[in-house]
Amino acid sequence: MLLSVLYIIGITAEAMTGALSAGRRKMDWFGVILVASATAIGGGTVRDILLGHYPLGWVAHPHFLMITCLAGVLTTWLYKWVIRLRGLFIRLDALGLVVFSIIGTKVAMGMAHHPLICVVSGVVTGVFGGLLRDLICRRTPLVLHEELYASVSAVASGVYLVMIRYAVDDITATIVTILIGYLLRMAAVRFKWCLPSFHLESENSLH
Amino acid sequence: MLLSVLYIIGITAEAMTGALSAGRRKMDWFGVILVASATAIGGGTVRDILLGHYPLGWVAHPHFLMITCLAGVLTTWLYKWVIRLRGLFIRLDALGLVVFSIIGTKVAMGMAHHPLICVVSGVVTGVFGGLLRDLICRRTPLVLHEELYASVSAVASGVYLVMIRYAVDDITATIVTILIGYLLRMAAVRFKWCLPSFHLESENSLH
Amino acid sequence: MLLSVLYIIGITAEAMTGALSAGRRKMDWFGVILVASATAIGGGTVRDILLGHYPLGWVAHPHFLMITCLAGVLTTWLYKWVIRLRGLFIRLDALGLVVFSIIGTKVAMGMAHHPLICVVSGVVTGVFGGLLRDLICRRTPLVLHEELYASVSAVASGVYLVMIRYAVDDITATIVTILIGYLLRMAAVRFKWCLPSFHLESENSLH
């Protein structure tokens, strides 16, 4: 229940930031709807396809898709507010990241997959929406360069998994995971914590 | 039966325009075949994967794949004709768009999905081939900028859906939908009807 | 058994070359792991999704995923060796290409698909890892321009298929296919054998 409410907040916020990316590429409304929906529910879609977990969430519950389409189109009018509320959207994005990761982990656990696959499922759900957005908008994916993002998703997924394994009840595990993940992400943004990165000059390439 | 004939015409025309895109990227024959096939049958493939509708059309009926491969390779010789017959190919593309949309809608209706999902299924079938082509050829997707395209697909899908709901027989619904969709698309091309588009300066971005 | 050992060598080598591509894009560790894994096991993943062949290989056997993640991260330290051993990696890539193609062909044959689909399955397994790598790293896919690559995959797949059809035992068919495919690929690299390519000036485009 808590997770459902947070999920709807998360996909709405993600759809709105996706719509901004479409706007910077001067896309039409169809493009806005496509990028908004891919950003918001693309991660869950990729996860379900990888796990063979049918029907997809938005196919079974089309109102999730209506929400992302509506949020995308509304953003074409309200974009000044979205940009002004930058701080709020960074917070909502952090929240969405953790909520998506927990949901992805739960789906894989429900299919009795190996713990590593459960964490991968959480990370895919958390970060592939942003990857798809950047792929459609032809940008180098932000998630591969920026402050800790996929790592937050992996940590949240792992924390949730371990708590459930040690018989913590679901609601406690969810709240604790959200707190840890949210604070970790906000700290990463504030203090610019990054993963080590790997720089290779072009002439040093095999291909 | 009518739909099958039109489908084969549609995938042949789409494969040929896909091959031209590959040619502009100086691809080899494998690239030509890949882009031709992705353009022609990529939309149906994405639809079937999203709906979990297995086996995919071209896996069950490999002759569709043979047609797109052949059309792609032939285009490397006949490209001057394809370019000269520009007007014909715009018409065939419009026809293909509507036929693909109807087929996508039918597949989702056959799986008893929500009407919104049936329309999405029609649009995915109609436009994702072109999206995949532009993604592989590294172009900003045309469908997100140009004259009404995805919208024609959505209208065609909706018209077909409503007629079937109100017990119009399948052949009548198919013919009426093709006429409406085809004329709408050709009018959009001629009069340059576009969806409103959303322009955002880069400095105004959240991400 | 032989195929399993060669498969693990193949995914390790492919993951390492994928990591180099990520390094040239200055990605962080998550990006390195993502590109390494996509390069190594992305082809098999796309094949399984197209064929509806669940669970995916790495979902059922997570240690394959561990190997590609580890190989990716190790490459961020050992990249100088990987670059110095260029000749070895070209050989391992040729071996991997043929091994992946055989595995892909076997999977489709096991599902009793049409011979054309079995060859497509082999080619998808062999080359889509590299395509995904180039898509994520925003490069024009090498496989569509370079010396015979997808063609080697198709030949290997076809040779294996025909031998099995004519009741050659599996181990003989595998070894003969590997020899033929490996030598063909190495000859293509050495003598710069290419498929004919299709060049079209931009102004001659339909779209």
Side-chain angles (χ1 to χ4, degrees), chain A residues 140 144-145 197-201 205, chain C residues 14-37 39 72 75-76 133-134 136-139:
Chain A
T140 303
L144 308 178
H145 294 272
S197 76
F198 177 36
H199 289 217
L200 199 61
E201 295 309 314
S205 63
Chain C
E14 298 294 341
M16 294 176 94
T17 64
L20 293 189
S21 284
R24 279 186 292 124
R25 284 286 180 183
K26 307 194 195 318
M27 289 184 185
D28 67 18
W29 279 15
F30 174 71
V32 170
I33 285 174
L34 178 73
V35 178
S37 300
T39 309
T75 305
T76 63
R133 175 195 63 206
D134 295 339
I136 302 174
C137 294
R138 302 180 64 222
R139 299 195 300 171

Side-chain angles (χ1 to χ4, degrees), chain C residues 146-170:
Chain C
E146 259 196 343
E147 300 95 6
L148 296 186
Y149 196 85
S151 320
V152 173
S153 179
V155 167
S157 182
V159 165
Y160 179 80
L161 189 79
V162 168
M163 280 196 288
I164 296 294
R165 289 267 156 148
Y166 285 90
V168 178
D169 68 298
D170 192 54

Side-chain angles (χ1 to χ4, degrees), chain B residues 13-149:
Chain B
E14 298 295 339
M16 294 175 93
T17 64
L20 292 189
S21 283
R24 279 185 294 124
R25 283 287 178 182
K26 309 193 192 321
M27 288 184 186
D28 66 19
W29 280 15
F30 174 72
V32 170
I33 285 175
L34 178 73
V35 177
S37 299
T39 309
I41 56 183
T45 300
V46 173
R47 174 204 66 219
D48 285 344
I49 291 173
L50 291 177
L51 297 181
H53 181 252
Y54 287 102
L56 304 187
W58 56 268
V59 171
H61 306 285
H63 59 276
F64 291 143
L65 188 59
M66 290 177 204
I67 291 171
T68 60
C69 293
L70 205 67
V73 171
L74 279 178
T75 306
T76 63
W77 290 302
L78 305 178
Y79 66 92
K80 280 184 185 164
W81 286 35
V82 177
I83 292 164
R84 225 170 270 164
L85 295 171
R86 198 177 183 283
L88 173 64
F89 272 85
I90 287 175
R91 278 175 183 78
L92 290 177
D93 179 67
L95 185 67
L97 175 66
V98 184
V99 169
F100 291 0
S101 305
I102 293 173
I103 292 172
T105 311
K106 279 169 87 106
V107 167
M109 288 172 79
M111 298 175 80
H113 282 304
H114 187 278
L116 175 67
I117 300 302
C118 296
V119 172
V120 169
S121 174
V123 174
V124 166
T125 312
V127 310
F128 268 61
L131 275 177
L132 284 179
R133 175 196 62 206
D134 295 339
L135 209 64
I136 302 173
C137 295
R138 301 181 65 221
R139 298 194 301 171
T140 303
L142 275 176
V143 64
L144 308 178
H145 294 272
E146 260 196 340
E147 300 96 5
L148 295 186
Y149 197 87

